[in-house]
Amino acid sequence: MKMTNDCLVCCTRGSLDAARLATDDESKQQEVLRRALSHLATMNMDDPPPLMARFIQETIEALTGVSDPFKRLKDKYNDFALELFPELEKKAAGKGFETAVRLTIAGNIIDFGAHNSVGKKKVLSTIEEALVQPLNGDVKKLEQACQNAGRILWLADNTGEIVFDKLLLARLDREKVTYAVRGGPTQNDATMEDAEYTGITQMVTTIDTGAAIPGVILEHCSDEFRQVFESADLIIAKGQGNFETLDPEDERIFFLFKAKCPVVADRAGVALHDIVIRQGGPDMSRK
């Protein structure tokens, strides 16, 4: 997905938010913002927005020495989701595949790239809404694809959210699943450290993309990850960052996310706040 004018504004806001998490020094915050604005002024508008997130992260580390400004928030929401998990399991118990999908997508609300802040009350209300609001997409087609696939690649998104992923992972043939997290700290996206902490690594084979980007841009990823990506029969891509960076025509991909951004919602052909399942294909590229 290409940058839009709205993305420029969002990236500017995000650079300041991240800088404030990294340091209380207003002069350093201002320098992060200045460098972000300078980069935005010259970057290729055909590039996907998550590339800008990598630049912001690298800039903050260079100026403040903080490699993971979202670390405190990441830990907080991993713990919150783990505390909530027994209740999530109760909501899913005895229910079908669709309920697990709805709850898994609900976890995508924990996103500090799309929102300045996400309170615990918002997470709880999103869970309840996800159980009853219309599901924008074909869940039966996703279920059939999961049953038929020999190799499933799951592309993770945010910390906290990955705990919700366990609800659907538990309903898959986990011998067929490889779960991929980011290759380094970027926004509040999950890394291998988070996968280990939340128990994902105990459920399924887990790798990282080799790139500290909140999405999947294959030319930046490791050879190991690209091999797994190319050999997958089915790719489950959680979150907006993966939607923004992956080939919309790849029919192996099912995008699962909550539409939190009007630009992404428009690109996916959904309404803002929808819980979404979208399969890649020619129709996606024309939206």
Side-chain angles (χ1 to χ4, degrees):
M1 194 180 90
K2 299 178 181 179
M3 291 279 289
T4 69
N5 292 343
D6 288 310
C7 295
L8 296 175
V9 177
C10 187
C11 288
T12 302
R13 177 77 251 177
S15 67
L16 181 56
D17 290 341
R20 284 175 169 163
L21 288 173
T23 178
D24 293 329
D25 186 329
E26 290 191 4
S27 65
K28 289 183 178 180
Q29 294 171 3
Q30 187 177 96
E31 183 59 24
V32 170
L33 192 56
R34 286 179 179 275
R35 293 190 188 187
L37 287 167
S38 178
H39 189 72
L40 285 168
T42 59
M43 74 177 295
N44 186 346
M45 291 293 285
D46 287 338
D47 286 338
L51 266 183
M52 185 62 195
R54 183 180 68 166
F55 175 84
I56 292 168
Q57 189 91 2
E58 291 172 346
T59 300
I60 287 173
E61 183 172 9
L63 290 171
T64 70
V66 177
S67 62
D68 192 355
F70 289 85
K71 174 65 173 170
R72 182 185 62 80
L73 285 171
K74 289 162 64 176
D75 291 346
K76 174 182 176 180
Y77 278 88
N78 276 337
D79 287 338
F80 173 57
L82 287 169
E83 291 170 7
L84 191 61
F85 191 66
E87 184 62 28
L88 294 173
E89 286 187 305
K90 287 181 183 178
K91 291 181 183 296
K95 304 291 176 58
F97 184 87
E98 181 175 332
T99 297
V101 170
R102 285 173 171 275
L103 290 170
T104 296
I105 296 175
N108 186 233
I109 194 63
I110 307 174
D111 185 350
F112 290 88
H115 296 294
N116 293 340
S117 63
V118 180
K120 292 180 179 180
K121 287 184 179 179
K122 179 63 177 176
V123 176
L124 294 172
S125 66
T126 299
I127 292 168
E128 297 307 318
E129 290 165 6
L131 290 171
V132 296
Q133 75 181 99
L135 179 58
N136 195 323
D138 192 339
V139 69
K140 294 295 185 184
K141 195 170 185 179
L142 172 62
E143 184 175 14
Q144 191 65 51
C146 289
Q147 292 171 355
N148 293 342
R151 295 175 181 173
I152 301 172
L153 174 61
W154 186 302
L155 303 177
D157 194 23
N158 301 314
T159 53
E161 177 183 352
I162 62 175
V163 176
F164 288 67
D165 290 351
K166 294 164 73 173
L167 297 166
L168 185 52
L169 285 169
R171 284 163 171 75
L172 304 181
D173 181 348
R174 283 174 271 166
E175 293 297 319
K176 301 191 299 186
V177 178
T178 299
Y179 191 91
V181 294
R182 308 307 187 202
T186 180
Q187 295 183 350
N188 70 309
D189 286 39
T191 63
M192 189 63 73
E193 178 183 352
D194 302 300
E196 291 170 352
Y197 183 75
T198 57
I200 292 289
T201 55
Q202 297 173 23
M203 292 185 73
V204 288
T205 298
T206 309
I207 62 173
D208 68 60
T209 62
I213 297 172
V216 174
I217 303 175
L218 288 173
E219 58 262 39
H220 294 280
C221 294
S222 66
D223 290 340
E224 177 194 10
F225 174 80
R226 287 199 297 267
Q227 289 171 5
V228 174
F229 185 93
E230 293 303 330
S231 65
D233 303 312
L234 168 64
I235 300 169
I236 296 174
K238 285 294 299 298
Q240 294 185 152
N242 288 322
F243 179 80
E244 291 171 25
T245 50
L246 288 165
D247 180 2
E249 294 194 20
D250 192 334
E251 295 182 353
R252 299 176 301 158
I253 304 176
F254 281 80
F255 298 98
L256 277 60
F257 60 91
K258 185 168 177 66
K260 305 177 291 288
C261 160
V263 175
V264 170
D266 181 68
R267 180 65 182 80
V270 302
L272 195 63
H273 310 305
D274 275 1
I275 51 174
V276 179
I277 299 172
R278 276 290 179 272
Q279 184 179 12
D283 288 344
M284 280 293 300
S285 67
R286 290 195 291 267
K287 290 187 183 297

